[in-house]
């Protein structure tokens, strides 16, 4: 006779008790997601995207976080590699107070590819993030997602525009991935 498997459930509060060991700890609907620290290629692409977005957003007082936090306590807290939020959310507010997220960017890695594509993408959208980018360094592409289960694969250039159209950021993929192995 088999025994039932008990899977532990985690909360956002439990994240405070996990080790500071270089891994990224997130919780999605009570399930703990653990990924190792990012590779050099992952960090390089994140830095390039941060610099590109910062040059357009900071002058207009938009907030760019790397990494960011999208949370819905008590059972979900995710950390996109980059997060763009509206200007009304000052840096001094807590993550829980940010009620609108415009863009979450995940840079796929070998250890996070399945979570990011199969679970986190749709979770971000369900949590109200307007647009999600899945940046695939190996494939040198970006999947742009605005609705669950679907995305548009881009291999040349992609433009993100602020909801009111006041700011646009163009990302040339050849430049983004240049020299990244």
């Amino acid at each position: 006779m088999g025994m039932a498997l008990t899977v532990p459930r985690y909360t956002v509060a439990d994240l405070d008790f996990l080790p500071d060991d270089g891994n990224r700890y997130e919780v999605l609907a009570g399930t703990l997601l653990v990924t190792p620290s990012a590779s050099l290629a992952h960090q390089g692409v994140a830095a390039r995207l941060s610099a590109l977005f910062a040059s357009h957003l900071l002058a207009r007082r938009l907030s760019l976080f790397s990494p960011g936090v999208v949370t819905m306590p008590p059972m979900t807290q995710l950390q996109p590699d980059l997060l763009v939020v509206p200007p009304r959310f000052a840096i001094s507010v807590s993550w829980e107070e940010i009620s609108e997220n415009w863009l979450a960017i995940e840079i796929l890695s070998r250890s996070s590819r399945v979570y990011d594509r199969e679970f986190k993408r749709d979770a971000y959208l369900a949590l109200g993030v307007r647009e999600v980018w899945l940046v695939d360094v190996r494939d040198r592409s970006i999947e742009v997602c605005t609705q669950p289960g679907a995305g548009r694969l881009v291999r040349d250039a992609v433009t993100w525009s602020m909801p009111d159209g006041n700011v646009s950021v163009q990302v040339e993929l050849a430049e983004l991935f240049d020299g990244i192995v």
Side-chain angles (χ1 to χ4, degrees):
M1 181 155 115
M3 290 182 66
L5 177 64
T6 304
V7 177
R9 306 300 287 170
Y10 293 86
T11 67
V12 171
D14 292 330
L15 294 173
D16 291 335
F17 300 102
L18 296 173
D20 186 11
D21 58 3
N23 289 319
R24 180 176 289 186
Y25 293 93
E26 302 169 284
V27 63
L28 176 58
T31 300
L32 184 66
L33 306 177
V34 182
T35 53
S37 53
S39 69
L40 289 175
H42 183 283
Q43 293 287 31
V45 169
R48 288 177 182 182
L49 284 169
S50 290
L52 181 62
F53 272 84
S55 67
H56 290 83
L57 301 181
L58 297 179
R60 291 175 176 82
R61 306 190 60 76
L62 295 174
S63 296
L64 171 69
F65 300 101
S66 180
V69 173
V70 176
T71 189
M72 183 173 279
M75 303 300 279
T76 298
Q77 181 168 300
L78 302 173
Q79 292 184 331
D81 293 302
L82 282 90
L83 181 66
V84 178
V85 303
R88 69 179 173 277
F89 297 109
I91 293 174
S92 60
V93 301
S94 69
W95 292 114
E96 292 82 12
E97 294 176 87
I98 297 176
S99 60
E100 187 177 1
N101 297 285
W102 285 347
L103 176 65
I105 299 177
E106 287 287 355
I107 300 164
L108 305 179
S109 62
R110 192 175 332 173
S111 60
S112 71
R113 178 176 299 281
V114 172
Y115 287 135
D116 291 345
R117 182 167 275 132
E118 303 300 325
F119 301 103
K120 288 174 66 176
R121 173 194 60 203
D122 290 349
Y124 285 128
L125 294 167
L127 292 168
V129 176
R130 290 180 184 240
E131 189 169 316
V132 177
W133 288 7
L134 301 176
V135 179
D136 192 331
V137 177
R138 286 190 326 193
D139 191 45
R140 298 189 179 281
S141 65
I142 296 177
E143 184 178 350
V144 178
C145 310
T146 57
Q147 56 186 336
R152 174 177 56 93
L153 194 64
V154 177
R155 295 186 183 281
D156 50 2
V158 62
T159 301
W160 176 79
S161 295
M162 201 168 90
D164 67 5
N166 196 19
V167 176
S168 291
V169 179
Q170 172 127 357
V171 178
E172 297 288 340
L173 275 60
E175 291 176 24
L176 177 65
F177 298 123
D178 185 41
I180 303 286
V181 198

